[in-house]
Amino acid sequence: MLTLRQVKLTVFLLNREDRVNSNDISERYGIDRKTLRAELNAVGENFGDEIKISSARQGYRIDFISDKAREELVNTIDIYGNNSCLPYRSSEITLYLLFLREYISMQELAERFYMSKTAVALTLQTVKRWIGRSNSIELEISGNRGIRVVADESKKRNFCARFGSLNTFRKIPIEKEIVDRYTEILAAVRRIMPGILKDAGYILTGESYKGLTRYISCSVLRSEMGMPIENNRTGYDKELLTKILKGVLDETGYAIDENESGEIWKIIIQSNYISNSEKINLELKTEVRKKLAELKGKISGVIGENIKFSEKESIYLTEMICQSLKRAQNGIAAVNNQWEDIVKSKPLEVYLMEIFIPEIYAVKLSNEIAMPAQFLHEVLRQIKGKLNVLIVSDLSMACVYPFEKLIRSAAGFEDVKITTLPGYIYKQETEIVKEYDLLLTTEAEILLLNTKFHLLPAVMTKGDREAVRNIVLNAIKEISGNKYAVIEEKYLKEEGIFADKKIEVKENERAYSLRNGLLLLIKISEDAESSIKSYICEQPCDYNHKQIKRILRVSFNKNDGDIFAFFDYVAERIKEFY
């Protein structure tokens, strides 16, 4: 079977029409060209005549792939699916421990996974910190008795679903019959669930659907292994659950009981869905919609510009908040595996939503806050940038218009000002170029007079369109770079040493513990001193069950100018820690 990296490389090449330079692929996946060549050769050997990957001076390309190879890739991706952000070895050990009934020693665990005791100990530290973020489950490590997961059966099933990809099951040292049975159950559940959910009007997101089917499959497997659940929940959609119960019984021969039905319903409630026929309380929906104006007002007050939600955006955000409120009423939250990536790339949006949604709607969303933050990012993207463009052209406006449309599309935000002048006017006012961020012309003589202009063709081809798009993006990147240089000089403080054992989170400050031991602290207020301070911990500190090695403390005063550029720079700084 292909490795996950080999699958990703194959899919990447399938998505490209032209050849891709080996340097670009190597940089994207963090491997050298020799490793890249070996990986693609392995893909070719795996599929034989079913795929043809050619290499030339211009790079690699997939010239042919059969339907059989495509189907095998789909199955492999499904096998690798994992609803957890833990490394694979940590996931495998966690899943294995969840199926053990008794303690296991460190030595036994090392032997069963072909690891050293030191490697196992380090992996268990990672697992312990990760599990420690959840309530009612604990990884017990005892020098005398050994290691085991302590939790009720309901919690264990939930965690099994997070780690229960086919690939993880196949790599843990349990009986082949158990793995085969799980494979059989999962396939059966995924045959029946799309139709059942569609008929009931519950269209879940793909990620939530996979989590639900894994949960049902793990529940059936564990019950058959003599691990019953004892938590009964009522108030579920009996029509939907009846169909699920009947489908599972017909396909697997296992009869889900009342207790298990309640837990399955709990997973459905915490899922993210695209549409749902269930009538959410109209009064709640109306209340949420009314308060969007308050949310817009508070965000606008911080960023210094008025934001607007289109009708479609208002509907999406209302639905998103209603789902979160309903989950909160049931004491649960949605799993969001993209939370950390969203915090790293969109710290401003995450902070704003974490401050104002609990204040306005009286609900705490934890990692789920990243969902509306991602939404807010798309709204703010329209007002984040500014671009002034000068086009010098002797062509008719009908010929220039396609360039204007392409420039606005490539920029991706609203504030794009384009001025078009004929060559004879420009020659009389050459000093005006200082007012513009990007200079374009269709006239060769203008380029000869000022080489800062980019020459455009009279009529664009497909390749020309891509070239113009890149010119615009590079101009925006240069503008950002200039802003970053000012921010760095003005606000970035020298890196210091954090000597305290405990990290104090200040008033109105929000803390985000990320991978690689980074703690991001953000505060925005009128009395704050704008600054970006980086610290190295003298000794690792514990925060929210994570070991912190570095701290990035960010403060911004709302009166200090371009908040977007400031936090875009913060996102760039965060990248340097990874």
Side-chain angles (χ1 to χ4, degrees), residues 390-404 418-427 439-447 453-459:
L390 173 64
I391 301 177
V392 177
S393 177
D394 292 333
L395 299 176
S396 69
M397 292 307 296
C399 293
V400 175
Y401 174 72
F403 291 114
E404 293 187 3
I418 301 175
T419 303
T420 302
L421 296 176
Y424 72 91
I425 296 291
Y426 164 72
K427 290 175 185 177
L439 306 175
L440 302 171
T441 182
T442 58
E443 313 306 317
E445 61 175 315
I446 301 298
L447 177 66
F453 277 87
H454 296 274
L455 187 63
L456 302 174
V459 179

Side-chain angles (χ1 to χ4, degrees), residues 309-323:
F309 295 152
S310 68
E311 178 62 21
K312 191 172 185 179
E313 288 168 341
S314 296
I315 292 171
Y316 279 162
L317 188 55
T318 298
E319 189 69 36
M320 198 181 299
I321 294 172
C322 282
Q323 289 185 39

Side-chain angles (χ1 to χ4, degrees), residues 286-335:
T286 303
E287 183 184 353
V288 168
R289 182 69 181 262
K290 281 182 179 178
K291 289 184 177 180
L292 287 186
E294 185 180 353
L295 180 63
K296 285 189 292 185
K298 288 185 176 293
I299 293 172
S300 298
V302 173
I303 66 176
E305 293 193 44
N306 290 325
I307 64 169
K308 298 177 182 178
F309 295 152
S310 68
E311 178 62 21
K312 191 172 185 179
E313 288 168 341
S314 296
I315 292 171
Y316 279 162
L317 188 55
T318 298
E319 189 69 36
M320 198 181 299
I321 294 172
C322 282
Q323 289 185 39
S324 298
L325 288 172
K326 185 174 179 182
R327 284 191 284 264
Q329 289 168 1
N330 286 272
I332 52 181
V335 174

Side-chain angles (χ1 to χ4, degrees), residues 17-253:
E17 294 180 4
D18 302 321
R19 293 190 179 277
V20 188
N21 184 277
S22 59
N23 289 332
D24 293 340
I25 306 175
S26 298
E27 183 178 347
R28 182 185 182 92
Y29 291 98
I31 55 178
D32 56 39
R33 289 191 294 174
K34 183 178 179 181
T35 303
L36 171 63
R37 185 165 56 251
E39 292 286 63
L40 292 178
N41 285 340
V43 172
E45 291 171 5
N46 180 83
F47 287 117
D49 295 335
E50 304 296 331
I51 193 170
K52 184 179 179 183
I53 304 175
S54 64
S55 62
R57 183 175 297 177
Q58 297 87 350
Y60 290 96
R61 182 177 66 195
I62 293 180
D63 298 319
F64 165 78
I65 181 169
S66 68
D67 291 341
K68 181 180 177 182
R70 288 178 185 274
E71 185 178 352
E72 185 175 330
L73 278 170
V74 170
N75 292 335
T76 304
I77 290 171
D78 187 51
I79 288 170
Y80 276 113
N82 196 331
N83 201 28
S84 143
C85 57
L86 273 178
Y88 278 106
R89 181 62 81 181
S90 301
S91 298
E92 292 160 12
I93 288 179
T94 306
L95 183 62
Y96 179 66
L97 291 173
L98 286 165
F99 276 90
L100 292 184
R101 303 171 192 267
E102 305 294 338
Y103 287 95
I104 184 172
S105 70
M106 189 85 72
Q107 182 62 44
E108 287 179 290
L109 204 55
E111 290 173 357
R112 293 185 187 184
F113 280 90
Y114 301 99
M115 298 168 65
S116 67
K117 287 178 66 175
T118 301
V120 169
L122 291 172
T123 301
L124 289 175
Q125 287 179 19
T126 300
V127 173
K128 188 175 180 66
R129 286 197 300 271
W130 195 88
I131 285 180
R133 299 179 217 166
S134 300
N135 297 324
S136 307
I137 186 168
E138 178 188 357
L139 180 65
E140 181 184 343
I141 303 176
S142 167
N144 296 326
R145 289 174 293 183
I147 304 150
R148 68 165 183 166
V149 173
V150 181
D152 62 27
E153 180 58 23
S154 171
K155 202 72 173 180
K156 286 184 178 180
R157 292 186 181 199
N158 202 301
F159 271 70
C160 281
R162 295 190 188 187
F163 302 114
S165 70
L166 285 176
N167 183 62
T168 308
F169 259 99
R170 290 174 180 178
K171 288 192 173 182
I172 62 177
I174 59 175
E175 294 86 346
K176 182 177 180 300
E177 292 76 13
I178 295 176
V179 178
D180 290 345
R181 179 57 177 157
Y182 178 72
T183 304
E184 178 187 352
I185 297 168
L186 184 62
V189 170
R190 288 187 174 172
R191 279 197 300 272
I192 62 170
M193 286 304 295
I196 292 173
L197 291 171
K198 185 178 179 182
D199 290 344
Y202 286 83
I203 309 301
L204 307 183
T205 63
E207 186 177 67
S208 291
Y209 166 76
K210 291 176 182 177
L212 173 61
T213 54
R214 281 203 292 255
Y215 181 85
I216 294 173
S217 302
C218 286
S219 291
V220 172
L221 179 68
R222 292 179 70 88
S223 292
E224 290 182 342
M225 293 174 67
M227 303 176 183
I229 198 166
E230 297 178 355
N231 183 24
N232 183 22
R233 293 179 65 92
T234 58
Y236 51 76
D237 185 329
K238 291 190 176 181
E239 183 180 351
L240 173 61
L241 264 296
T242 298
K243 291 180 179 179
I244 293 175
L245 268 56
K246 184 179 184 305
V248 171
L249 177 61
D250 291 344
E251 291 288 333
T252 70

Side-chain angles (χ1 to χ4, degrees), residues 1 158 389 458 469 516 538:
M1 188 174 78
N158 202 301
V389 182
R469 187 178 294 276
N516 287 5
E538 192 172 59

Side-chain angles (χ1 to χ4, degrees), residues 504-520:
E504 292 288 344
V505 178
K506 300 176 182 178
E507 185 180 0
N508 294 327
E509 195 172 46
R510 292 297 182 270
Y512 309 95
S513 51
L514 308 174
R515 283 193 294 269
N516 287 5
L518 174 64
L519 181 67
L520 173 64

